[in-house]
C-alpha cells in the first residue's frame, strides 16, 4: 500500500561544521613492509562513502567518523559535545592501505590510562585490523604520527579460512567479522593480545549431532550478509544475517546461539530504556522477479528472567523503497528514519494511520540550495532578470547591481555558503588561494573576489551577460556543493531522540516545522491544538476560505517566479529604494501586461527573431491563462463567502497569526555558544524566510484584488477596509520578519583595527553627509553613551569573539544571542547534555524571535521601535555599523509614517535615541569614503559638528538629543580655543572662553528645562562661567518654575545654593513685588519657605509681613465674602511672622519691612535694564496712618494680629470695619464686637490694649459690655472664634458672664472687681450673683481676715461701702470677724504671728462714719443703729482679741 506523505521538517546545518581544520596523522603499520599476496578479489569490502556517529558516556561525547571514496585510506573523526560550540578542528587518520567502509569508536571499559580513554576499530581492504587508543582530538595538534604503543594491528588472513570478508561489526573489546564461507569470527581485540588463548572465537553450532549431520549432508552455510552488535540490559549480543535470509542471535559472552530466523539486510534499534523489545528493520524483495525492495519492521522480544526466551513477532510495517538507492536506516523505539538519495522520510512505528502508513518527509539542504541559487530550472535565473527589468525599467543601470546583490546575498546564506565549495568554485574559475590566504578572507573579502570574477567575465556589462555569469557560477557552485556534501549517513541519539545527517564535509540536525510554517504551506491537518486555537478559525467555511486564499497566493507567486520575494527583500537594501507600494505596483503591472518591451529586445538578441517571437506568444498565453484562472478563483472565493468581509476577516486572522509571537521567557545567567545556539539561529532564518515570503504573497494577492476592484464585486468599502486595516499590518509583519531574517543570515562585520572614536578625527564634513542626514544628527553615543550590556569576559573570551567577527558563518544573530542572557535557560529547553530532538527547536526559535521583536518579558515598553534601539546598541558596540544603519533606517521610516499625521513635533525620546544611533552608522559609512583632512584639528571638527548637530535637533524640538550634543561640544571647547590657528570659519573663536562656555551651558540649561529636568537645569546654571548669562538663566529658571508649579524644588534643599542663594532671593523678591496677590504659589510664601530653610528667621518674617500688607491693601477693595478670605489669609501671614520672630533672640526679634521690601535692581541686572523699574510700577505699599519706617517687634505684631482678628470676625458678621493704627483700638471697636455678640474678642481687645491700672470700670461702662437684665437672649448665635459650646452651661447671660470671668481673670486678676463695680454702678440695688461674690471670698493661704489678691473680700467690702450697700458691707465684715474669733485651737497659734491678721480698717471707719451720717440725717435710723450696734460689738471683741494676742506675742518674745 502506498504511503501518504506530508512535509514535516527541514534539515538545519550546524554552522561551522564545514570549516574544520584537520590534524593529519599517519597510522604506523608493520604490514606495509610485507606486500600482500596477489589476489583476484579484495579480501574485504571496498571503500565507499560511509559515515556514522558514536555516542559515549553521560553527558555524551559524540564522535563522527567519515570515509570518503575519493580518499580511501583516510578516516576523518570529529569529536564534539552538545553543550559546546561545534569544534573547528578534527582528526584525519592516514592509513597505509584503503579502508573498508567500517569504523567503531568506544570507551575503554576499564581505562588503564587517563590520556587514552577511547578505542578506535578499523579494517583495511587487505584484512588488517587496527585498534587505536585515542585521546581528545585537541591533543593531536602537534602530532604527525601515532605513537606505536597506541596502535595494535593484526591480519585476519592469519586466522582461519573465512574467504572474503563480507560483513564487519564491533563492540567494546570485540571485533566481529563475517566471511563468504558463512563463518563469524570474534576477535577479543582490546581485551587480549593476539597471541593469547581465547583471542579468537568462531560462532558455530555447538551440538555434536548437528556437526555430524552437517558433515554427512555436506550442508553449506550461506555467506554473512550483515552483522549488528546489540546491548540489551547490560549484555552483549550479536545479530548475524546470512545471505539466504537466516538470522541468528548470539550471546557474545558465552558465544552460543539463541535464535534463528529468516531475513535479508538488517538494521537494529537500540535498547535505551531497558524495554523487552528491540525494533529490527530488514530490507528484502517480496517478489524476486520484481525489482522493488521493501523494508519490513519487526520487533525482537526477549526475556532475561529465569529462562531466557527470544522470539521475533510478525512484521508490523512494510515500507516500499522508492526514490533512489538506500543510504542509511536508523531505528528508535518508536520511529524509523530512512535516508535515500532523494530525501529523508520518517515513519512512526507506534501509531500508523488507519488509512495506511503515514510518511513524513524532511526537506534536505540540496533542495534549499537549488531553490535559493535559482537552480531548480533552466529559466529560473532569467525570470529573476526579467522581473528586475520590470522593476527598474526607468533606471536600467540599477538592474545589474540589484541582480548581483540578490545572487550574492543568496550565496552567503548560512547553510548555503560552504568554505570548501566556494574555494573549489573559485578554483574552477582560475582563482587560486593558499590555505592561509583563503582562511584569512572575511565575508567582505570573499564577496569582493566573487564580484571581481563576475565583472571580469561579464565584460560587456550587459545585464544578460551578467546573469549568464552568475548562472554559470551558481551551477558550478551547486555541483561542487552536491559533490562535497553528499549525505553519507544518519546520526541518531536515542537518549534524546535527536536525528542528524552526516555529510561528506558537514553535519546537520533535523527539526520539525513550526506551526506557522505548516500553515503557510497549507498543511492544516498537521497543525497542533495551540496553533488552531491561535488562528481562531471559527468553522469549516473559514478554513476553506483560507485554503482558497493561500491557493490564489501560490498561483500568483508561481506566475511571478522565485525572484519575487528575493527582489522585494533586496529592495530594503537599495540606496534609492522604492516604497513597498511602488514595488507592489510594478509587480502588478507584470501580472497585468507581462514584462516590459525592453525584454523583448533582449530575447531577440539572445534567441533570434523567430524564437523570440515564439517565446513572446508562449508568455502571452501563459499570462492569459493565469488571468483567467485568478479571475475565476476570486469569483469562486467571493461566491463561497457571499461577502468580501468574510474573506477579509479570514485574511486578518491569518495575518495576526503571522505576527511574531511574544513569549514569556525565564532567562539564565550566562550565554553559551553551543550547538543549540547555532541551530537556533539557522532554524530562525528558515522560519523567517517562510514567513516573509508568505506575507509578501498575501500583500501581492490583496493588491491584485484591490486593483481588480469591481470586476470581482469588491465595493469601495471593501477596498478601503483592505487598505486601512490589512495593508499597514502586512507591511509591519514584512518589516519584522525581514529584520529577523536579516539578523539570522547577514555575516557580521570584521572588528575595526582602531576604535571608531579615534578614527572620527579623520572625517571631513562633506555635502554627501549633509544631504544624507537632513533631519538627523549623529555621534553622541560614540563619545557619551555608555553601553551597559557588554558580555562579560568570563562568559565569552574577547579574543575568541573578535576571531569570529567577520566570518561568513558568524551572523549578527550570534552577537545578539551571546550578548544577551541565554535564550535557552527556560522550561522548554531539553537537556543540553544531549543533542536536541526535532521538536525541541521550536521553543528556542520562538524565544529568539520574541526577543528580537518584543524584547524581554519584563521590559516596560514592548514596541519594536523601542526595542530596536537596544538591539542597535548591542550591534553598535561590536562595530556592526552597516547592520545598525539598515535596522534603524527601516524603523525610522516606519516612525516617520506614524508621525505624518501628528507632525514632526510629536516625536519622543525613543526617536531621538534612534537618530543618535543611526547617525553613528551613517558617520561610519562616510568615514570609510572620506579623505583625511589634515588642516582641521580633531577637536575643532568635533566642536563645529556638535554645535551644528545641536542646532538641528533644536530646530525640531528634540531637546534630549540637542542637550547631548551641547554637552559633547562643551568637552571640546578648551582644546579648540587653544588651537585657533588650526581652525577657521567658526563663530565662537571671536568669543572669550567664558562666553563660549556660557553660551553652550545656556543651551544645556534650555534643553534640560524643556525636558523638565530641573535639577540638571540648575546644575547648568551654576556651571555657567558667564555671570550675565548665568543670571539670565536663573531668572528664566524661576519664571518657568512658577509657570509649571514646580517651585517646591527651590525650598526643599535639593539644589545646591552655595553662592547663588542671594541671587535666588533677589529674583524671588523681584517676582513677589510684581506678582498679583492671588497668584499661586504666592511668591512671598515661597520666599518665607526659602528663608526658613536657610534659617534666616527675620527675613522669613519680613517677607510674610510684606505679604500681609499686600493682602491688607487687597482686602479694602473686596466684598465681605472675599474680604473674609483675604483677612483669614492675612491672619495666617501675621501668625507666621510672629512664629518666625519667636525663633530669634529677643533682643533681635524685630523687622524693618521698608528696607526689605525694596529691590536693588541695579545690582540684580548689571548689564540690562530692569524689565519694570520702580518708577514704572510703584507698589501700593502706602498705608495711611502707619509708618513703615518704624521697626515692628513682636508686641506690635501681636497688636495688629488682635485688631485683624477683630476685623475678620466682624467681616463674618457682614460688618465692614477697618483700623489704621495699632497702638490703640478705635473707639467703636468694642461696641461693634458687643453688638455682634463677639464677647471673646471683646475681652481679648480689652485685655490686650488695657493692662494693669489702665483696666478700669469706665472701659466696660463705656463699651456697654453688660446687657440689661431684662434681655435674656441666648448667645448661641455668636460668631466668636470660641465655640458656643464653651459657654453653654446656662441659658442666660449670667452664666455666660461667669464663664468669661473665669476664663479671663487669670489674664487680669482685677477683672471680678471691675465687673462687680460695673454692676453696682449700673444698679446700686442689684444683687450681685453668688458666683461673683464667691470669687471675692477666696482666702489666701496663711492669712486671716479680709486679705487676699486684687479680687479679695476687702475689695468687695469696699465696693459695698462705696455704693451704699451698708447691710451687705456690715454682714461681710461681721462674717470675717466672727470667723477669726472662732478659730480652731490649732489655728490660734498661727493667728498670733506677726501680720497674720488684716482688715481694711480705713474702709471700716468709712462705714462707721456713713452709718453715723445716715442716723444724723434721719434716714434709715433704725436699720443704721442696728448695724452700728452690731458693728460696735464685733469691733470691741475683735480689738480685745487683738490686744490679747499682742500681749501673748510680747510675752513670748520677752521670755
Amino acid at each position: 500500500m502506498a504511503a501518504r506523505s506530508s512535509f514535516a521538517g527541514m534539515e538545519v546545518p550546524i554552522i561551522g561544521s564545514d570549516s574544520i581544520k584537520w590534524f593529519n596523522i599517519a597510522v604506523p603499520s608493520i604490514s606495509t613492509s610485507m606486500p600482500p599476496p596477489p589476489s583476484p578479489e579484495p579480501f574485504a569490502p571496498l571503500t565507499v562513502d560511509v559515515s556514522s556517529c558514536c555516542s559515549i558516556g553521560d553527558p555524551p561525547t559524540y564522535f563522527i567518523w567519515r570515509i570518503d571514496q575519493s580518499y580511501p585510506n583516510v578516516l576523518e573523526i570529529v569529536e564534539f559535545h552538545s553543550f559546546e560550540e561545534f569544534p573547528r578542528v578534527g582528526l584525519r587518520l592516514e592509513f597505509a592501505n584503503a579502508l573498508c567502509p567500517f569504523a567503531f569508536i568506544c570507551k575503554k571499559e576499564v581505562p588503564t590510562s587517563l590520556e587514552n580513554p577511547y578505542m578506535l576499530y578499523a579494517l583495511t581492504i587487505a584484512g588488517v585490523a587496527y585498534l587505536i587508543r585515542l585521546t581528545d582530538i585537541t591533543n593531536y595538534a602537534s602530532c604527525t604520527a601515532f605513537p606505536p604503543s597506541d596502535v595494535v594491528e593484526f591480519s585476519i588472513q592469519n586466522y582461519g579460512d573465512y574467504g572474503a570478508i563480507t560483513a564487519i561489526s564491533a563492540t567494546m573489546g570485540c571485533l566481529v567479522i563475517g566471511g563468504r564461507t558463512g563463518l563469524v569470527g570474534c576477535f577479543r581485540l582490546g581485551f587480549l593480545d593476539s597471541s593469547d588463548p581465547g583471542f579468537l572465537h568462531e560462532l558455530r553450532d555447538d551440538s555434536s549431532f548437528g556437526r555430524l549431520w552437517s558433515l554427512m549432508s555436506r550442508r553449506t552455510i550461506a555467506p554473512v550478509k550483515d552483522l549488528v552488535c546489540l546491548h540489551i540490559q547490560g549484555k552483549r549480543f550479536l545479530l548475524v544475517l546470512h545471505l539466504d535470509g537466516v538470522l541468528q542471535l548470539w550471546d557474545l559472552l558465552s558465544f552460543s546461539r539463541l535464535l534463528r530466523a529468516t531475513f535479508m539486510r538488517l538494521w537494529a534499534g537500540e535498547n535505551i530504556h531497558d524495554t523487552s523489545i528491540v525494533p529490527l528493520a530488514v530490507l528484502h524483495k517480496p517478489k524476486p522477479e520484481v525489482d522493488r525492495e521493501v523494508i519490513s519492521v519487526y520487533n525482537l522480544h526477549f526475556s532475561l528472567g529465569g529462562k531466557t526466551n527470544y522470539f521475533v513477532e510478525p512484521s508490523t510495517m512494510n515500507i516500499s523503497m522508492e526514490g533512489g538507492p538506500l543510504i542509511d536506516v536508523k531505528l528508535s523505539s518508536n520511529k524509523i528514519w530512512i535516508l535515500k538519495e532523494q530525501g529523508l522520510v520518517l515513519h512512526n512505528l507506534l501509531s500508523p494511520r488507519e488509512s495506511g502508513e503515514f510518511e513524513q518527509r524532511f526537506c534536505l539542504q540540496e533542495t534549499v540550495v537549488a531553490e535559493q541559487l535559482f537552480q531548480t530550472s533552466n529559466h529560473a535565473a532569467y525570470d529573476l532578470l526579467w522581473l528586475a527589468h520590470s522593476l527598474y525599467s526607468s533606471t536600467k543601470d540599477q538592474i545589474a547591481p540589484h541582480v548581483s546583490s540578490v545572487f550574492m546575498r543568496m550565496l552567503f546564506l548560512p547553510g548555503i555558503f560552504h568554505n570548501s565549495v566556494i574555494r573549489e568554485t573559485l578554483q574552477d574559475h582560475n582563482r587560486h588561494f593558499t590555505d592561509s590566504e583563503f582562511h584569512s578572507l572575511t565575508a567582505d573579502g570573499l564577496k569582493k573576489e566573487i564580484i571581481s570574477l563576475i565583472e571580469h567575465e561579464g565584460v560587456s556589462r550587459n545585464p544578460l551577460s551578467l546573469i549568464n555569469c552568475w548562472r554559470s557560477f551558481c551551477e558550478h557552485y551547486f555541483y561542487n556543493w552536491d559533490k562535497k556534501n553528499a549525505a553519507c549517513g544518519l546520526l541518531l541519539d536515542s537518549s534524546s531522540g535527536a536525528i542528524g545527517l552526516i555529510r561528506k564535509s558537514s553535519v546537520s540536525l533535523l527539526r520539525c516545522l513550526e506551526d506557522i510554517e505548516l500553515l503557510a504551506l497549507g498543511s492544516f491537518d498537521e497543525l497542533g491544538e495551540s496553533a488552531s486555537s491561535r488562528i481562531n478559525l471559527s468553522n469549516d467555511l473559514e478554513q476553506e476560505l483560507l485554503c482558497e486564499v493561500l491557493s490564489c497566493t501560490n498561483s500568483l507567486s508561481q506566475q511571478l517566479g522565485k525572484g519575487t520575494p528575493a527582489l522585494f527583500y533586496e529592495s530594503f537594501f537599495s540606496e534609492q529604494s522604492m516604497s513597498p507600494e511602488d514595488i507592489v505596483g510594478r509587480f502588478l503591472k507584470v501580472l497585468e501586461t507581462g514584462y516590459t518591451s525592453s525584454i523583448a529586445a533582449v530575447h531577440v538578441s539572445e534567441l533570434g527573431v523567430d524564437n523570440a517571437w515564439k517565446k513572446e506568444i508562449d508568455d502571452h498565453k501563459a499570462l492569459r491563462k493565469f488571468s483567467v484562472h485568478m479571475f475565476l478563483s476570486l469569483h469562486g472565493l467571493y461566491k463561497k463567502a457571499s461577502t468580501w468581509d468574510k474573506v477579509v476577516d479570514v485574511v486578518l486572522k491569518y495575518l495576526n497569526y503571522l505576527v511574531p509571537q511574544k513569549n514569556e521567557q525565564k532567562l539564565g545567567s550566562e550565554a553559551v555558544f553551543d550547538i543549540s545556539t547555532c541551530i537556533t539561529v539557522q532554524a530562525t532564518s528558515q522560519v523567517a524566510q517562510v514567513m516573509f515570503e508568505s506575507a509578501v504573497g498575501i500583500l501581492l494577492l490583496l493588491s491584485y484584488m484591490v486593483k481588480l476592484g469591481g470586476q470581482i464585486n469588491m465595493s469601495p468599502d471593501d477596498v478601503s477596509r483592505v487598505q486601512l486595516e490589512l495593508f499597514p499590518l502586512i507591511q509591519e509583519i514584512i518589516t519584522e520578519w525581514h529584520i529577523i531574517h536579516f539578523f539570522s543570515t547577514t555575516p557580521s562585520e570584521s572588528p575595526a583595527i582602531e576604535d571608531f572614536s579615534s578614527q572620527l578625527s579623520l572625517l571631513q564634513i562633506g555635502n554627501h553627509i549633509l544631504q544624507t542626514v537632513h533631519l538627523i544628527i549623529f555621534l553622541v553615543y560614540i563619545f557619551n553613551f555608555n553601553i551597559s550590556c557588554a558580555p562579560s569576559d568570563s562568559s565569552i573570551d574577547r579574543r575568541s569573539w573578535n576571531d569570529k567577527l567577520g566570518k561568513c558563518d558568524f551572523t549578527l544573530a550570534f552577537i545578539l544571542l551571546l550578548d544577551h542572557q541565554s535564550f535557552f535557560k527556560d522550561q522548554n529547553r531539553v537537556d543540553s547534555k544531549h543533542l536536541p530532538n526535532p521538536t525541541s527547536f521550536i521553543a528556542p526559535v520562538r524565544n529568539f524571535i520574541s526577543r528580537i521583536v518584543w524584547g524581554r518579558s519584563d521590559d516596560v515598553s514592548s514596541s519594536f521601535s523601542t526595542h530596536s534601539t537596544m538591539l542597535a546598541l548591542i550591534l553598535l558596540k561590536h562595530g556592526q555599523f552597516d547592520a545598525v544603519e539598515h535596522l534603524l533606517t527601516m524603523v525610522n521610516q516606519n516612525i516617520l509614517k506614524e508621525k505624518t499625521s501628528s507632525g514632526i513635533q510629536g516625536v519622543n525620546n525613543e526617536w531621538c535615541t534612534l537618530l543618535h544611533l543611526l547617525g553613528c552608522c551613517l558617520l561610519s559609512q562616510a568615514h570609510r569614503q572620506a579623505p583625511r583632512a589634515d588642516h582641521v584639528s580633531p577637536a575643532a571638527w568635533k566642536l563645529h559638528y556638535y554645535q551644528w548637530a545641536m542646532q538641528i535637533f533644536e530646530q525640531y524640538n528634540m531637546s534630549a538629543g540637542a542637550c547631548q550634543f551641547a554637552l559633547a561640544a562643551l568637552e571640546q571647547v578648551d582644546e579648540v580655543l587653544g588651537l585657533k590657528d588650526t581652525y577657521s570659519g567658526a563663530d565662537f573663536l571671536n568669543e572669550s572662553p567664558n562666553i563660549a562656555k556660557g553660551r553652550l551651558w545656556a543651551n544645556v540649561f534650555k534643553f534640560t528645562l524643556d525636558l523638565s529636568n530641573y535639577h540638571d537645569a540648575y546644575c547648568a546654571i551654576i556651571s555657567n562661567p558667564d555671570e550675565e548669562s548665568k543670571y539670565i538663566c536663573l531668572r528664566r529658571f524661576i519664571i518657568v518654575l512658577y509657570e509649571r508649579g514646580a517651585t517646591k524644588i527651590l525650598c526643599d534643599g535639593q539644589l545646591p545654593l552655595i553662592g547663588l542663594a542671594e541671587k535666588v532671593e533677589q529674583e524671588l523678591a523681584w517676582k513677589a513685588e510684581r506678582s498679583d496677590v492671588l497668584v499661586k504659589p504666592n511668591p512671598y510664601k515661597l520666599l518665607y519657605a526659602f528663608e526658613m530653610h536657610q534659617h534666616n528667621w527675620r527675613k522669613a518674617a519680613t517677607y510674610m509681613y510684606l505679604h500681609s500688607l499686600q493682602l491688607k491693601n487687597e482686602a479694602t477693595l473686596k466684598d465681605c465674602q472675599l474680604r473674609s478670605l483675604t483677612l483669614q489669609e492675612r491672619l495666617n501671614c501675621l501668625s507666621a511672622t510672629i512664629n518666625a520672630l519667636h525663633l530669634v533672640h529677643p533682643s533681635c526679634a524685630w523687622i524693618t519691612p521698608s528696607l526689605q521690601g525694596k529691590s536693588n535692581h541695579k545690582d540684580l541686572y548689571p548689564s540690562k535694564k530692569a524689565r519694570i523699574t520702580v518708577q514704572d510700577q510703584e507698589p501700593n505699599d502706602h498705608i495711611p496712618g502707619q509708618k513703615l519706617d518704624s521697626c515692628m517687634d513682636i508686641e506690635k505684631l501681636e497688636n495688629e494680629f488682635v485688631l485683624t482678628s477683630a476685623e475678620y470676625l466682624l467681616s463674618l458678621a457682614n460688618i465692614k470695619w477697618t483700623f489704621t493704627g495699632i497702638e490703640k483700638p478705635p473707639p467703636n471697636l468694642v461696641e461693634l464686637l458687643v453688638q455682634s455678640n463677639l464677647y471673646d474678642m471683646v475681652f481679648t481687645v480689652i485685655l490686650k490694649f488695657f493692662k494693669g491700672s489702665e483696666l478700669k470700670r469706665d472701659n466696660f461702662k463705656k463699651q456697654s459690655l453688660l446687657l440689661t437684665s431684662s434681655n435674656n437672649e441666648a448667645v448661641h448665635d455668636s460668631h466668636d472664634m470660641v465655640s458656643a459650646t464653651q459657654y453653654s452651661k446656662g441659658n442666660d447671660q449670667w452664666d455666660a458672664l461667669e464663664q468669661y470671668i473665669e476664663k479671663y481673670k487669670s489674664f487680669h486678676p482685677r477683672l471680678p472687681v471691675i465687673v462687680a463695680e460695673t454692676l453696682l454702678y449700673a444698679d446700686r440695688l442689684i444683687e450681685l450673683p453668688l458666683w461673683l461674690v464667691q470669687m471675692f471670698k477666696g482666702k489666701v493661704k496663711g492669712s486671716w481676715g479680709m486679705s487676699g489678691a486684687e479680687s479679695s473680700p476687702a475689695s468687695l467690702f469696699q465696693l459695698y461701702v462705696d455704693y451704699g450697700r451698708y447691710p451687705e458691707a456690715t454682714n461681710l465684715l461681721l462674717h470675717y470677724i466672727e470667723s477669726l474669733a472662732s478659730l480652731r485651737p490649732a489655728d490660734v497659734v498661727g493667728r498670733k504671728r506677726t501680720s497674720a491678721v488684716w482688715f481694711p480698717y480705713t474702709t471700716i471707719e468709712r462705714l462707721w462714719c456713713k452709718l453715723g451720717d445716715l442716723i444724723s440725717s434721719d434716714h434709715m435710723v433704725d436699720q443704721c443703729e442696728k448695724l452700728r450696734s452690731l458693728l460696735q460689738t464685733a469691733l470691741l471683741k475683735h480689738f480685745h482679741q487683738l490686744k490679747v494676742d499682742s500681749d501673748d506675742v510680747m510675752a513670748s518674745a520677752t521670755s
Side-chain angles (χ1 to χ4, degrees), residues 38-218:
S39 174
E41 296 182 1
F43 181 72
L46 295 177
T47 306
V48 296
D49 294 336
V50 65
S51 66
S52 186
C53 179
C54 302
S55 174
I56 300 173
D58 188 14
T61 300
Y62 298 94
F63 286 91
I64 291 178
W65 60 266
R66 276 189 296 244
I67 298 176
D68 192 342
Q69 187 177 3
S70 303
Y71 305 95
N73 66 323
V74 175
L75 176 65
E76 296 177 346
I77 301 175
V78 179
E79 174 190 6
F80 67 95
H81 300 87
S82 62
F83 50 83
E84 294 178 348
E85 179 186 2
F86 196 88
R88 298 304 176 99
V89 295
L91 192 61
R92 182 173 280 168
L93 305 182
E94 298 177 355
F95 290 83
N97 298 311
L99 294 169
C100 295
F102 162 79
F104 179 74
I105 303 175
C106 65
K107 191 172 184 178
K108 289 182 181 180
E109 187 171 12
V110 182
T112 58
S113 174
L114 296 177
E115 296 181 356
N116 301 93
Y118 307 112
M119 296 189 298
L120 166 66
Y121 293 90
L123 184 67
T124 67
I125 61 174
V128 179
Y130 286 88
L131 169 66
I132 302 175
R133 298 181 179 90
L134 295 175
T135 182
D136 292 338
I137 291 179
T138 55
N139 295 333
Y140 295 103
S142 59
C143 297
T144 58
F146 270 103
S149 59
D150 292 342
V151 179
V152 177
E153 67 171 311
F154 70 95
S155 177
I156 294 178
Q157 297 187 46
N158 299 331
Y159 296 85
D161 182 16
Y162 297 97
I165 297 176
T166 56
I168 314 165
S169 185
T171 185
M172 186 179 61
C174 184
L175 176 67
V176 186
I177 59 98
R180 187 171 296 174
T181 61
L183 297 178
V184 177
C186 298
F187 298 90
R188 305 294 297 278
L189 185 60
F191 276 169
L192 300 176
D193 189 79
S194 59
S195 60
D196 292 343
F199 176 72
L200 170 64
H201 281 276
E202 292 185 353
L203 302 183
R204 300 174 181 270
D205 191 343
D206 293 336
S207 171
S208 300
F209 180 79
R211 289 197 301 271
L212 178 60
W213 176 253
S214 178
L215 291 173
M216 293 176 62
S217 62
R218 298 184 181 272

Side-chain angles (χ1 to χ4, degrees), residues 265 267 283 291-295 319-329 338-345 359 364 487:
R265 187 176 177 185
W267 296 271
L283 179 66
D291 189 18
R292 184 175 71 90
E293 294 179 338
V294 174
I295 289 182
I319 305 170
S320 177
M321 288 293 98
E322 298 176 355
L326 181 66
I327 298 176
D328 196 5
V329 175
I338 302 174
L339 177 62
K340 299 175 287 187
E341 282 191 355
Q342 295 187 357
L344 174 67
V345 295
E359 181 182 89
L364 298 186

Side-chain angles (χ1 to χ4, degrees), residues 1214-1228:
N1214 294 327
I1215 297 176
K1216 189 173 183 179
W1217 174 88
T1218 187
F1219 63 94
T1220 55
I1222 59 175
E1223 299 297 333
K1224 292 293 182 180
N1228 63 338

Side-chain angles (χ1 to χ4, degrees), residues 1015-1036:
H1015 188 274
D1016 293 343
Y1018 182 78
C1019 290
I1021 293 174
I1022 62 178
S1023 301
N1024 195 328
D1026 183 7
E1027 294 298 322
E1028 180 180 352
S1029 176
K1030 176 189 293 186
Y1031 298 142
I1032 293 175
C1033 292
L1034 182 63
R1035 182 192 313 160
R1036 178 62 184 167

Side-chain angles (χ1 to χ4, degrees), residues 761-766 768 926-935:
S761 60
L762 306 179
L763 181 60
Q764 179 184 7
I765 294 181
H768 61 288
H927 166 66
R928 297 177 184 179
Q929 303 174 1
R932 185 177 183 89
D934 295 328
H935 63 283

